[in-house]
Amino acid sequence: MILTRRTALSLTLTALAAPALIRPANAACKPVDLAKGIAFTRKDGSKGVAKSEGDEVRIDYVTNRGAWTDIRRAKNGVFETSRTVEESVEPMVGSSAPTYSWSYSPKIIMPADGATWSGRVKETVEVTISDENATVERKRRRWDAIYRCFEPREVTLSGCTYQVLTVEAVFSGEGGGYSQRWVYFPELGLGLETRRDGASNGLTAMGPV
């Protein structure tokens, strides 16, 4: 293919307009903007949308499976502050979907290669019962948590190449524990869960809404 000087200049200006650290891997690359919304797909076929709201990111992990709900909010990419979850494609009756909320101590960190955070996490779970009083049931517990940031690398999704980190968290408490893993995009301030309790569900696509 022979490029004219005008075409070459146009391609150069387009590349310069792409956000820092997001490099077009091919012509399919469409730069993303968290303020406008980022759409993504995971290996199980679920489609989601992430968008910044104030100092948090709202992530709807499942938008294409009927009544299935998994909506979370997070600070600094990976420190989740709330989650509303209902793992059923059919509407459930009798009570609302449970809503989890978390607070952290000491102050949370911004993920960076080699960084760690350890502390206490307070969890509250609320469910509204479908009775005449709309009774709200609450349960509280505490976790000891350790976050680790490691494995800086490049990944290519939907034609765009991104710099990313792996962030892993392990929670332990009375009666058990659980673990999570995210792929974190420093230039976007976005972390997306790729593994929970050993079950992987990585990203297969990402682009603008």
Side-chain angles (χ1 to χ4, degrees):
M1 177 181 177
I2 300 175
L3 295 178
T4 66
R5 186 180 300 277
R6 178 176 293 180
T7 301
L9 178 59
S10 176
L11 290 173
T12 300
L13 291 175
T14 299
L16 290 173
L21 301 180
I22 302 175
R23 296 190 291 104
N26 57 50
C29 177
K30 296 180 180 179
V32 295
D33 184 342
L34 191 57
K36 296 179 180 178
I38 297 174
F40 60 90
T41 304
R42 297 204 285 175
K43 286 182 179 179
D44 67 354
S46 58
K47 296 181 181 296
V49 174
K51 188 176 182 180
S52 58
E53 293 187 355
D55 64 347
E56 296 187 324
V57 177
R58 182 186 186 275
I59 307 171
D60 189 343
Y61 275 94
V62 183
T63 62
N64 62 331
R65 292 188 173 179
W68 196 293
T69 302
D70 189 352
I71 299 173
R72 313 184 202 184
R73 293 180 183 273
K75 289 187 176 182
N76 294 5
V78 297
F79 291 88
E80 294 179 351
T81 58
S82 69
R83 183 188 188 197
T84 300
V85 58
E86 189 74 87
E87 296 180 340
S88 172
V89 297
E90 300 296 332
M92 303 293 287
V93 298
S95 65
S96 67
T99 296
Y100 296 77
S101 60
W102 297 278
S103 61
Y104 300 81
S105 179
K107 183 179 179 179
I108 58 176
I109 63 169
M110 187 65 71
D113 184 30
T116 62
W117 180 92
S118 61
R120 301 297 298 274
V121 182
K122 294 181 180 179
E123 176 185 277
T124 302
V125 186
E126 293 189 357
V127 175
T128 301
I129 307 301
S130 299
D131 58 19
E132 60 182 13
N133 297 317
T135 304
V136 177
E137 294 185 352
R138 293 183 180 87
K139 294 182 180 180
R140 293 179 172 85
R141 69 183 306 173
R142 295 187 179 187
W143 302 96
D144 292 312
I146 299 176
Y147 283 69
R148 297 189 305 118
C149 308
F150 58 99
E151 198 179 18
R153 62 197 186 281
E154 287 188 346
V155 299
T156 300
L157 292 164
S158 303
C160 293
T161 300
Y162 302 89
Q163 299 287 336
V164 301
L165 289 172
T166 294
V167 180
E168 185 174 69
V170 177
F171 301 82
S172 58
E174 185 176 345
Y178 67 100
S179 63
Q180 288 177 269
R181 181 175 286 193
W182 299 264
V183 57
Y184 176 70
F185 299 80
E187 71 270 34
L188 300 175
L190 172 65
L192 293 173
E193 186 184 75
T194 58
R195 183 182 300 177
R196 192 178 188 89
D197 283 338
S200 296
N201 195 11
L203 298 179
T204 60
M206 190 169 79
V209 171

